[in-house]
Amino acid sequence: MTVQICSCEGLDPKCKKCFGSGYMNTQFAEKTIKASAKKESAKQESFLPDTIESLSRKEIENFVPKIIDTLDLKSKKQMQILHAIPFNTTTFRRDFKAKFELLGKIEEEKQSLRNELDVISNALSSSKYSVAFKYGHFLSDKVIDVTSNRELKTLIRAYKKLKK
């Protein structure tokens, strides 16, 4: 039996395969790898319509909670993955390569969500409204360098201090 990343990547807490953990036990690794490869090729879905100028201020503001909730969920998943990596070993980059790839993928998705928030902010500021977004998770507004071990460890320490 092998442990593979679930097709929901742990973002669905009601998943029947992994029960929200993001990892599932399988006997055939090839099927799971093919399923996750198909999911990776799918592009991040945008919450915004093509023409944002035609929307009213209220309609634009209705998109903001959806984007921020998705951003917070992805940040929470990133923190769960970071806590699952034992940084005290010398081979953690090699042993947990899949987790680091998943961290990078989630960070790219978060960056596209932040770009959508920037588009909304620019649209509202052009109509002379001030905009301030309030995030629900510690990592939502932070850009993470997945290749930097020091930065990842610092983020974990800061998050633990914040929780105390």
Side-chain angles (χ1 to χ4, degrees), residues 3-162:
V3 177
Q4 294 292 323
I5 296 175
C6 182
S7 59
C8 77
E9 296 174 356
L11 297 176
D12 182 12
K14 297 178 183 174
C15 179
K16 303 266 189 227
K17 297 175 190 173
C18 68
F19 305 103
S21 70
Y23 301 98
M24 61 182 183
N25 294 328
T26 62
Q27 293 178 351
F28 305 104
E30 295 84 22
K31 289 183 180 180
T32 311
I33 291 171
K34 288 178 185 176
S36 64
K38 289 179 186 176
K39 185 148 185 148
E40 288 177 359
S41 64
K43 191 177 176 185
Q44 173 69 22
E45 201 176 295
S46 176
F47 287 99
L48 298 177
D50 294 333
T51 56
I52 196 167
E53 291 81 20
S54 65
L55 298 174
S56 70
R57 178 176 170 250
K58 280 290 186 192
E59 291 173 330
I60 292 173
E61 287 177 349
N62 288 338
F63 290 117
V64 173
K66 293 176 188 175
I67 294 172
I68 289 178
D69 289 345
T70 306
L71 193 59
D72 289 342
L73 182 67
K74 290 184 183 297
S75 297
K76 181 180 177 185
K77 183 61 185 170
Q78 271 186 324
M79 190 53 75
Q80 288 173 346
I81 293 170
L82 282 174
H83 281 298
I85 297 172
F87 286 101
N88 58 353
T89 63
T90 56
T91 59
F92 65 88
R93 279 273 175 193
R94 183 190 67 200
D95 296 342
F96 297 99
K97 186 177 181 180
K99 287 187 180 187
F100 283 105
E101 289 173 359
L102 184 59
L103 278 173
K105 182 182 174 200
I106 292 173
E107 185 60 33
E108 289 172 9
E109 293 170 356
K110 282 175 47 181
Q111 187 58 44
S112 71
L113 290 171
R114 283 190 213 105
N115 290 341
E116 289 183 10
L117 286 175
D118 288 341
V119 168
I120 291 173
S121 176
N122 291 338
L124 289 177
S125 64
S126 66
S127 60
K128 299 179 183 176
Y129 292 109
S130 62
V131 180
F133 300 119
K134 183 171 177 149
Y135 300 102
H137 195 271
F138 174 70
L139 294 180
S140 293
D141 60 341
K142 297 190 179 353
V143 178
I144 300 172
D145 181 15
V146 180
T147 60
S148 171
N149 296 341
R150 178 173 288 169
E151 182 180 341
L152 295 175
K153 290 176 187 178
T154 305
L155 283 172
I156 291 173
R157 281 188 216 112
Y159 183 73
K160 286 181 181 178
K161 285 181 183 176
L162 180 70

